Amino acid sequence: MAERQMLDREIEVSTLYECHAVDKINSNGIWFGDDPLSFSVPLLLLQLSLISIFTRSIYILLKPFGQPSIVSQILGGAILGPSVLGCNSKFAAKVFPVEGRTVLETFSVFGFMFFIFLIGVKMDASTVLHSGKRTFAVGCLGFFVPLAFGKFLALILGQVIQLDDGVRRALHMVIRLESDSSFPVIACFLYELKILNSELGRLASNASIVSDICHWSITIFIIAVKMAVTKSPKTSMGSLLSFALLIILIVFGFRPAALWVIRHTPEGKPVREIYIFLIFVALLCCGLLGELIGVSAFFSSFILGLVIPDGPPLGAAIVERLECFVSVLLMPIFFTMCGLKMNVFAIQKLENVGVLQLFVLVGFIGKMIGTALPPIFFRMPVRDAVSLGLIMNSKGIIDLAMLNNWRTENEINDECFAILIISVVVITGVVSPLVKTLYDPSRRFLAYKRRTIRHHHHNEELRVLACIHSLDNVRTMIMLLDASNPTKETPISLFVLHLIKLAGRASSLLIPHMPRDKSSQDPTQSERIFNVFRKFEQENRYHLKVHCYQGISPYASMHNDVCSLALEQRISFIIIPFHKQKYRAESSHVYRHLNKNVFEKAPCSVGVLIDRRNWRKSRLLLSESSYYQVAVLFFGGADDREAVAYAGRMSEHQTVTITLLHFTSSTILVGGTARCKMLDSEILEEFKQNASRNERVTYQEEMVMDNTSGALGVIRSVGTYYDLVIVGRRHGDSRFISDLGKRKENGDLGTLGEILASSDFEGGASVLVVQQQTKVWGLRDPEESTRLRRVKL
């Protein structure tokens, strides 16, 4: 009998354990008789190579169809796993053996811990407190409506049909999974679609934080109840106490330390390496403590990231150090492991597929209803509300992590796991192109009236938006605004927007800047910029009013902040700085992209200011001791007329001289309709009348022959005699413009603008390239409007 028991024990041990060599790390190579794939390092390198090749290739194939990277990474894992290539037992045993998958699994879990930490660093939960009732309504209803739908359906099905045991155990977890809209998932989804700083993007990201709070409150309550029922009071109290001590350590230990680091890091200076090193050590220690007390390394890592202030200097430095390593190397491993664990051949019963997909569908519909109804009630367009519902239904890394955890703890079987992984891929693959099709942030920028300088009442307040990248842009911008003649009769309402690259944050911001009660000894760059403009406001009291804003967003969608603020504040003229030649090629590209998008989508007129650093006058403001000399190049067209209208406003300034150079020819210089030619003649006639009354205003005609060399010489030399040159961006098609374009690459500033922005432009005059408002609701061509409101010239 004893021998029989001993034999049974040996059989049990043999079925539970496999023996693996623990010292086979590095291979000597095939020439010395080793099989490299029997060693850990070569096997890991092969696995990482296959993962990178497959996932990247699938991403390239699916990108034209609007698919996010998570879809390609899961599909790459599925192809390498038992669903496709892993069906071959030799391939599975050689490339993904048990011991090799253990190393890969450890890498994926480690990467997920770092990812969750980064999400905590980027997250600013305080934005929810200032986001209004609509955000709370979307977040709460978006969670509880699908939860109620799912619970009701489970109750009905439980009475009607006999559910499989595995499906029945999984239903309640599936219902919670489909109800939540996780912030990390939504933030990554919005960033990939480049709508993070759109109106819908801000609403979705803030509402997802509310949804997360609802989800984790219920989850923690369920865990606490289960622990109280299944564990002893001593175990429950010990777990609760250790959890509370961990939170206290992070909040009252690491948070003050992080704030101390920020205070001792001067603005513009990098965070010291020792501080970054200590934070990484703290991350590893918190992860270890989380594992020791049983709350997992993920939760403790997220809390640590959450207490570190987002954005520069500390949050941005951490993200900069980790982002590439985590997102490029570790996270694809995590997603691929999900695909590797999925086996489509584990799906045996179609009725189980039908039941689970029914709950997924009901959750999808419930979330659409819960998230779309509040915005519609708050008068959001139905199309945008539907897009919001689709965004909140997107799936991602948190959903996959929960499915992996349930599978590891045997709360769901392989069949349910495969079904739910497929549903994540399908939902994400469908939602992404639908949102791209339905939601266009620039559509809301279409203005309902003419917002130009040309159509502006003479005695009406001019609303100007000045965009600033850095302190380098401030001086020339203020010179231009001072020359714009803010007076009691012609006041200016100036909105200053400091554009800041999104760094170390997961959500964008567009907020008014509130000055501190007490001036700081070490002001931020934004404060230094705004202080200069507020001083400018004091020197033009009663004539000019300044409003300061900060826009923090990715470069790719930064134009949304500019256009949104212009629309909300009824701006007539946007002034945005041109990139500097000294900037890196990358910076030059992103600034050109920003200017191009503002030109295309702005709800008003736009001017790009090219700072030539001509500081012959050392003062910041104009004075009576010398004149600020402005030249306007006029060829014809709406943009040139807008330039003349702006110069007309400047001409009323006592220390500004205006010279209009009208280029004429016996042939057609620029194309245009008959109405366009008539409008050109009208504004030129008005300018001539102004020149006859004002000795500081001059009108000159420049005759252009058949070749462009003469005109090009005048254009390039004009900077020698003037402080500012104003030119329109667009001109009608003609042989003359075509010949000019051949001499200089035609970029975003138009043919003439690119010539004036080029390095061979003579002199040190700054350049303002002007574009009149391009889109007005109900007008295909704004020039068709006959109700012109002219400024006094």
Side-chain angles (χ1 to χ4, degrees), residues 262-281:
I262 292 174
R263 286 196 301 270
H264 287 78
T265 302
E267 187 183 15
K269 301 293 184 180
V271 179
R272 293 177 61 187
E273 290 293 332
I274 185 64
Y275 299 148
I276 302 296
F277 167 75
L278 292 175
I279 288 173
F280 289 164
V281 172

Side-chain angles (χ1 to χ4, degrees), residues 142-143 177-183 185-186 207-209 211-212 367 371 391-394:
F143 177 79
L177 182 72
E178 297 302 322
S179 301
D180 186 32
S181 297
S182 178
F183 173 78
V185 173
I186 301 301
S208 66
I209 297 176
S211 178
D212 266 341
K367 189 171 289 293
T371 55
I391 292 171
M392 299 297 282
N393 265 301
S394 60

